[in-house]
Amino acid sequence: MKKLPDRLLLALLAAILFATGCSTSAQPQDTPPGDVVLKVGDQKGGAKSLLTAAGLLNDFPHKIEWSTFTSGPPLLEAASAGAIDIGGVGNTPPIFAAAANAKIAAVGSSKGNVDSDAILVPANSTLKTVADLKGKNIAVAKGSSAHGQILTTLRAAGLTTKDVTLNFLQPADAYGAFTQGKVDAWATWDPYTAQAEKEAGARVLADGKGTANGYGFQVAGKKALEDKGKVAAIKEYLIRYHKAQKWADEHRDEWARAWSAETGLKYEVARAAVERGGDLPVKLDDAVIKSEQELADAFTEDKTLPGKVDFAKFVDTRFQGDLA
């Protein structure tokens, strides 16, 4: 058989690739509606137990696969990598993700009380004010909302994170270090704040009033946001999640019992956290973006993050009309 000239062979190969829908570079593929599996990142059973308790999962039109994370930063790493499609985090993880140029976007927002954004000390601690933290060891999950709380609380007292020693520990390890006296203070959030108060007698040295913005976000991976099938599922999830937040605010005891059953938290811990008031939906608008930019700038000024973060570039407002 006579050998085809190289030029003709390449042209024939290109025609075959085109005809079969293949490409030399990967293109986003839309998932057929019937095949959509929404991969949701969760923390301490919060979203799953909330939606279940509110009765908003039974008829969800797509299958959901849940993954549990210890805090926001690893959840967003998974979203950026395409391992999950969406998940809820506090106000600081999206800023750290943006600084790392992660492939994520905030798609929904909420605002809650800041009483649980606490810096805790043991009951017998001699520390009385934020200024007393100078030179002390503080446990905190790096890039979490508690990291933002430490930063803004110290700034309000004329200090920086360089005036203390931050021990970057995930909540379970931080709780152990705190109860064993290995750190002087612990910056955390509910339900960990309530757990430390109820089970370890922790005392609140400072909370987020006057320093924290109280925002939380639903954040999606860019890969999911480029898939029409996933986008439809994300929209439905956001609508139901925001409904569930409103339900929880109106059914606090029922929500606390469901949260306790789902996570293994003691009922009195869940109830204490719920009584402080949960997050309620707010529009992801310019005011929210501005507040987050201010927090991002504070991290840059503290030299915790290199360079300036443009938070607006990591926001996708396409769902706001549906969530209104």
Side-chain angles (χ1 to χ4, degrees):
M1 181 177 177
K2 187 176 181 180
K3 182 180 177 181
L4 291 173
D6 289 344
R7 186 179 299 173
L8 183 57
L9 186 62
L10 288 172
L12 181 59
L13 177 59
I16 293 171
L17 286 171
F18 180 80
T20 56
C22 298
S23 171
T24 54
S25 61
Q27 298 293 325
Q29 297 294 315
D30 292 330
T31 305
D35 296 335
V36 170
V37 176
L38 187 65
K39 299 178 180 179
V40 181
D42 204 0
Q43 294 189 59
K44 201 69 174 177
K48 182 181 179 182
S49 56
L50 176 59
L51 286 159
T52 301
L56 293 168
L57 278 186
N58 296 335
D59 61 344
F60 194 78
H62 307 285
K63 181 181 177 182
I64 296 180
E65 287 183 359
W66 298 92
S67 299
T68 303
F69 296 84
T70 55
S71 64
L75 186 155
L76 293 190
E77 287 178 14
S80 180
I84 62 170
D85 302 316
I86 190 171
V89 298
N91 61 1
T92 303
I95 291 171
F96 273 66
N101 203 31
K103 298 175 182 177
I104 56 94
V107 293
S109 56
S110 57
K111 187 176 178 66
N113 81 84
V114 293
D115 295 356
S116 66
D117 296 327
I119 300 173
L120 304 173
V121 294
N124 61 356
S125 173
T126 59
L127 304 181
K128 302 297 182 184
T129 68
V130 174
D132 294 334
L133 290 171
K134 188 172 183 178
K136 302 301 182 182
N137 289 286
I138 306 171
V140 63
K142 186 175 184 178
S144 68
S145 60
H147 197 171
Q149 173 62 5
I150 275 288
L151 173 69
T152 55
T153 300
L154 290 173
R155 280 168 61 93
L159 301 174
T160 74
T161 59
K162 309 304 182 288
D163 293 311
V164 299
T165 299
L166 297 182
N167 294 257
F168 292 126
L169 300 170
Q170 290 298 315
D173 294 328
Y175 184 79
F178 181 78
T179 55
Q180 294 166 28
K182 294 180 179 179
V183 294
D184 300 299
W186 178 23
T188 191
W189 61 93
D190 268 336
Y192 306 109
T193 298
Q195 184 177 23
E197 288 178 311
K198 294 293 183 182
E199 298 179 2
R203 173 167 57 86
V204 176
L205 182 72
D207 61 25
K209 290 192 290 289
T211 53
N213 64 20
Y215 290 123
F217 297 92
Q218 291 295 314
V219 181
K222 290 287 184 69
K223 183 178 179 181
L225 291 171
E226 293 170 354
D227 183 322
K228 290 181 181 178
K230 293 276 190 178
V231 166
I234 287 171
K235 182 177 80 171
E236 184 67 21
Y237 177 82
L238 287 172
I239 291 170
R240 292 181 183 229
Y241 184 75
H242 282 196
K243 285 181 179 178
Q245 287 180 310
K246 293 176 182 177
W247 173 89
D249 189 56
E250 297 166 357
H251 301 81
R252 295 191 179 189
D253 187 65
E254 193 174 345
W255 163 223
R257 292 185 185 281
W259 196 9
S260 174
E262 174 72 24
T263 63
L265 286 169
K266 292 181 179 178
Y267 166 73
E268 56 267 28
V269 170
R271 179 71 192 191
V274 166
E275 277 306 305
R276 273 192 267 260
D279 292 348
L280 288 171
V282 295
K283 187 176 181 180
L284 183 50
D285 59 11
D286 291 343
V288 175
I289 295 170
K290 181 176 181 289
S291 181
E292 284 295 288
Q293 186 62 54
E294 290 170 354
L295 180 56
D297 291 344
F299 272 110
T300 298
E301 291 167 15
D302 190 63
K303 294 184 171 52
T304 300
L305 294 177
K308 184 177 177 65
V309 173
D310 188 351
F311 187 76
K313 291 183 178 179
F314 296 85
V315 174
D316 186 327
T317 61
R318 76 176 81 175
F319 302 103
Q320 297 310 295
D322 298 295
L323 298 177

